[in-house]
Amino acid sequence: MRPQTFAILKVVRRLALALLLLFIFAAAYGYFSLRDSLPVLEGSHSLVGLKQPVTVQRDSAGVPTLRAKSRVDLARALGYLHAQDRFFQMDLLRRASAGELSALLGSATLKTDLRFRVHRFRSVARAAMEKLPLEQRDLANAYAEGVNAGLAAMRSAPFEYLMLKVTPEPWLPEDSLLVAYTMYLDLQSANGQLQMQRDLLKEVLYEPVYRFVTAGAPEWDSTLDGSRSALPELPKIEDVDLRQQPDLEVRPPLDVLRQLTSIGSNNWAVSGSKTSNGVALVANDMHLGFRVPTIWYRVRMISEDSTAPLDITGVTLPGTPCVVAGSNGHIAWGFTNSYGEYQTLIRLQSVDGHEDQYQTASGVQTLKTYDEVIRVQGSSPVTLRVQESQWGPVVAKDWNGLRMVLDWSAYDPEATNLALLSLEQASSVDQALAAGPSLGIPGQNLTVGDSQGHIGWTIGGHIPTHLPTQGLPQSSTTAGVGLTGWVAAAQTPRIVDPQDGIIWTANTRVLGGSAGEVIGDLDADRGARARQIHDDLLATPKIDPKTSLSIQLDERALFLQRWKELLDRTLTDAALANRPDRLEMREVLKHWSGHAAVDDPAFRLVRRFRQEVEARAFYMMIAPARARAPGFEWVIPARFEGPLWMLVDQKPAHLLATRYASWDAFLLESADAAAKLPSVCKTLATCTWGTVHVTQVRHPLGGVLPGLSGALNMPELSMPGDEDMPRVIGVHAGASERFSVSPGHESEAYFHMPGGESGNPLSPYYREGFEAWVTGKPTAFLPGSAVHTLTLMP
């Protein structure tokens, strides 16, 4: 070997050794940093501000039980635990609604900040904080001080901050309200998209066509009062004849098919007359986007305060001091999103030559302007100019270029508070329902049961009053426009102890008539899931936690059964002639299980067939509006199922575009599109639901460093379930928790959550509970025996 070659090899070896040592050092540094950011589990530690010691006992799953002498001390201790287990999650939640993510995460989140900063929720939170009753303000202050103490007590900042090279910022009392505003953004529209879409359709389409495409699906209605929406009416040929409009673009965009990110929440209450123990039972599974750590934090809190004793078990939202859903031994409660009319769009009528002015019924008004500075980690700040009317900010422009402002209940400082605390002390259904209108949360279906066997439902949260809008934008020149106040508690709809002994909600329309009009409707679900839950409950003579869990895990595809039969009828012998691909479809359909089963290729095929039909039909019917506003982003409403089925069932010739020779040809084209294989499949027979439907529960930074994805993310799994059935599961969203409990019988209840208490991947509690959530194996609602004991001292 030449000396020169030998020297090069020597340098290479030294370089490789240096790189290896550097890698080992980095790995060791990362490991010890992670270890140093684990929460304190045992011993005695000081927590400034406590009045009396607080004992924290954790069971084998890491679920804490807190014992204190007062609710304020519990709030301080809970803040301490939330910070040590979940501070990064809390930080993201407060920053999301404030439009401050980029200060932590850099330019990757700038678009999100620009979209959300327009609402100026940081300012709203400060105003709302000033309006809180003294008791709630004291708890918010104690909680914030506990958060900051918990963060300071860690030997190292949470690992996410080490990765991002950022120092955590202190928690402020107002940040707890910002966490609530993030839930508003998650559960309600931030830009009035559906109202604008309805407005565009109403302006462009003939009135009968507009009424038809915006009608509901009464065949799937499952309301608590038994009411049904009106049947869609087919437009007559004299109203519209698509065969005479050959120039319209009727094909849907290539990317229009609804993504596999199903959402939807379920809850129900069963009276004591229908339970095995004579006590009411409440079940709840709130469906939200998946994240690691999971959105909820389990806890049991016991206060020995003689004037307000408390023993409550349930889920808290890190960043807030309240139990969101659970049981206090007297009542159990849960929530689903109500999709009521909690906001309205207002079109500003401009003043010629004055860009900053707009017309109202009482005269010309001037827009206020705010320059919102968005800090961006690693880059220069960005300034967003926000224009704000007397009702709210400008959030969009319509297809005519006129400014649209949003009036949203979330903007009123009175609408958001910590009144969930009142449910903690409620001892009956009546007391819980009386608290409903005062809850400072996005409008929710509050379902309650008590230890005396009573059940009830109401809207939790403030319901705004406004002019009748039919879900359409209003004009700034209309007298009385916008949200004008709150529905009085006495007029808030409620149901107590219905005759059949069951209450159920699943994001669909709950009531009809005048009560339904009070709540309003902004894109409620079509009701198939609610109907299935209702029928399951009626079919079960006595409900207990075991039978309740079986309903939550019901993945029968009842909604798609008629679509399977339609596909069967579409694949006629004539249609199959010389078409081996269609013959393969018929063979696959023979193995239809009737379930959203992971090993069923027929379910995937039928589901896709319905999507293809839906997209073609919707975009065909709205073709004139698409031509009027080519850049508009359309959303297919869930309840278009009613008009859709009428079209494919009755096959009206005048409502079929000239692109299609017949409705049979329309359906065959949809079937052929459904049979096209995605890249993960090789044959139609092996292209199962589980192959294309893989659930992903990921950490926000799990994709930033690919080498850490396995350590940070949960395993990617195929799970049974889909939308339009009780077991809702999507790729990126699904049940964020499941429980079923009778108050006073918590030891018989179960609980599921798609992840553990800790946000630190070195903790044994990081993945705890995930497997049981996947498999549906019941785990205890109450925390078990103490494994670790921590005493927090004044």
Side-chain angles (χ1 to χ4, degrees), residues 17 65 251 312 333 339 371 377 421 457 524 707 765-766:
L17 179 61
T65 297
R251 292 173 299 178
I312 187 168
W333 73 95
Y339 291 93
D371 286 334
Q377 173 67 14
L421 295 166
W457 164 91
Y765 311 131
Y766 187 73

Side-chain angles (χ1 to χ4, degrees), residues 572-740:
T572 63
D573 291 341
L576 268 58
N578 301 316
R579 292 294 300 265
D581 54 336
R582 293 176 180 172
L583 184 61
E584 188 179 9
M585 276 194 276
R586 177 184 279 184
E587 289 301 312
V588 166
L589 289 177
K590 290 179 180 178
H591 303 285
W592 167 259
S593 68
H595 293 254
V598 296
D599 59 351
D600 189 344
F603 176 84
R604 186 211 69 86
L605 177 63
V606 172
R607 186 187 194 277
R608 185 70 177 199
F609 170 67
R610 186 201 162 277
Q611 285 184 315
E612 296 284 354
V613 173
E614 178 184 53
R616 283 166 174 76
F618 181 75
Y619 279 85
M620 179 174 66
M621 294 300 299
I622 68 167
R626 294 172 63 194
R628 175 67 179 80
F632 194 84
E633 295 184 11
W634 298 95
V635 176
I636 305 176
R639 284 184 296 167
F640 182 65
E641 173 70 13
L644 175 63
W645 187 255
M646 188 170 285
L647 288 172
V648 297
D649 185 50
Q650 299 188 22
K651 299 180 179 179
H654 65 287
L655 296 182
L656 183 68
T658 56
R659 167 180 166 80
Y660 305 102
S662 66
W663 277 99
D664 290 339
F666 174 95
L667 293 172
L668 276 173
E669 180 183 276
S670 301
D672 291 340
K676 290 181 179 178
L677 295 175
S679 59
V680 294
C681 295
K682 293 183 178 180
T683 68
L684 202 60
T686 59
C687 194
T688 63
W689 178 232
T691 303
V692 301
H693 187 249
V694 180
T695 297
Q696 300 169 358
V697 184
R698 296 175 173 174
H699 189 281
L701 301 183
V704 175
L705 295 176
L708 291 179
S709 61
L712 296 182
N713 301 334
M714 296 296 165
E716 295 189 359
L717 300 170
S718 299
M719 297 171 58
D722 188 26
E723 58 188 2
D724 296 305
M725 58 189 61
R727 189 170 191 174
V728 176
I729 185 72
V731 173
H732 302 293
S736 61
E737 49 74 44
R738 295 188 199 103
F739 68 77
S740 187

Side-chain angles (χ1 to χ4, degrees), residues 14 18 70 121 132 204 377 444 660 779:
R14 287 178 176 174
S70 71
F121 276 131
L132 289 185
V204 177
Q377 173 67 14
Q444 300 286 293
Y660 305 102
T779 54

Side-chain angles (χ1 to χ4, degrees), residues 50-334:
L50 285 179
K51 302 300 182 185
Q52 298 287 336
V54 177
T55 301
V56 180
Q57 295 179 315
R58 293 186 189 252
D59 68 1
S60 59
V63 180
T65 297
L66 287 68
R67 288 181 170 83
K69 297 294 185 182
S70 71
R71 185 62 178 86
V72 174
D73 277 355
L74 284 174
R76 192 178 299 272
L78 182 64
Y80 187 96
L81 297 185
H82 278 171
Q84 296 220 323
D85 278 325
R86 299 288 192 89
F87 187 81
F88 183 67
Q89 173 196 6
M90 298 162 56
D91 200 4
L92 294 184
L93 287 172
R94 67 171 169 177
R95 288 177 180 274
S97 62
E100 298 171 356
L101 288 169
S102 299
L104 178 66
L105 301 175
S107 58
T109 54
L110 183 56
K111 286 185 178 179
T112 301
D113 280 348
L114 290 170
R115 188 166 70 251
F116 290 161
R117 180 66 74 87
V118 70
H119 303 292
R120 303 182 64 246
F121 276 131
R122 172 72 70 179
S123 297
V124 179
R126 289 171 181 157
M129 198 72 201
E130 293 298 317
K131 289 184 173 291
L132 289 185
L134 181 60
E135 177 190 12
Q136 295 181 26
R137 203 179 314 158
D138 287 345
L139 256 71
N141 289 329
Y143 177 82
E145 291 170 5
V147 169
N148 292 324
L151 188 62
M154 300 173 74
R155 289 180 293 179
S156 174
F159 75 94
E160 294 93 345
Y161 297 93
L162 300 177
M163 292 175 62
L164 296 168
K165 299 180 181 180
V166 176
T167 301
E169 296 184 2
W171 192 263
L172 303 175
E174 69 197 44
D175 291 339
S176 291
L177 298 183
L178 283 173
V179 170
Y181 292 129
T182 295
M183 298 309 294
Y184 277 96
L185 289 167
D186 195 28
L187 298 171
Q188 298 176 4
S189 173
N191 60 7
Q193 170 71 15
L194 182 63
Q195 295 177 63
M196 206 177 320
Q197 176 170 308
R198 287 175 176 170
D199 195 38
L200 175 54
L201 293 175
K202 186 171 180 60
E203 178 176 296
V204 177
L205 301 182
Y206 292 110
E207 183 64 22
V209 181
Y210 168 75
R211 290 199 306 269
F212 178 68
V213 298
T214 57
E219 68 270 34
W220 292 108
D221 280 348
S222 184
T223 56
L224 297 183
D225 61 0
S227 63
R228 295 287 182 95
S229 53
L231 279 170
E233 294 185 18
L234 277 174
K236 298 180 174 61
I237 192 170
E238 53 265 30
D239 298 321
V240 61
D241 187 354
L242 294 183
R243 307 304 277 182
Q244 302 301 317
Q245 303 180 47
D247 297 330
L248 284 177
E249 175 57 67
V250 299
R251 292 173 299 178
L254 294 177
D255 60 349
V256 72
L257 293 181
R258 296 174 68 185
Q259 300 299 307
L260 304 178
T261 52
S262 310
I263 59 171
S265 299
N266 308 317
N267 67 17
W268 53 86
V270 182
S271 71
S273 63
K274 285 184 64 67
T275 63
S276 54
N277 58 18
V279 175
L281 178 144
V282 171
N284 195 209
D285 48 303
M286 297 180 283
H287 294 73
L288 295 164
F290 291 139
R291 277 291 175 89
V292 177
T294 185
I295 190 168
W296 306 115
Y297 185 88
R298 298 179 62 186
V299 70
R300 181 179 185 183
M301 294 192 292
I302 300 172
S303 170
E304 299 169 355
D305 187 335
S306 59
T307 60
L310 178 70
D311 186 348
I312 187 168
T313 304
V315 294
T316 61
L317 178 61
T320 68
C322 308
V323 172
V324 176
S327 175
N328 66 6
H330 305 288
I331 68 164
W333 73 95

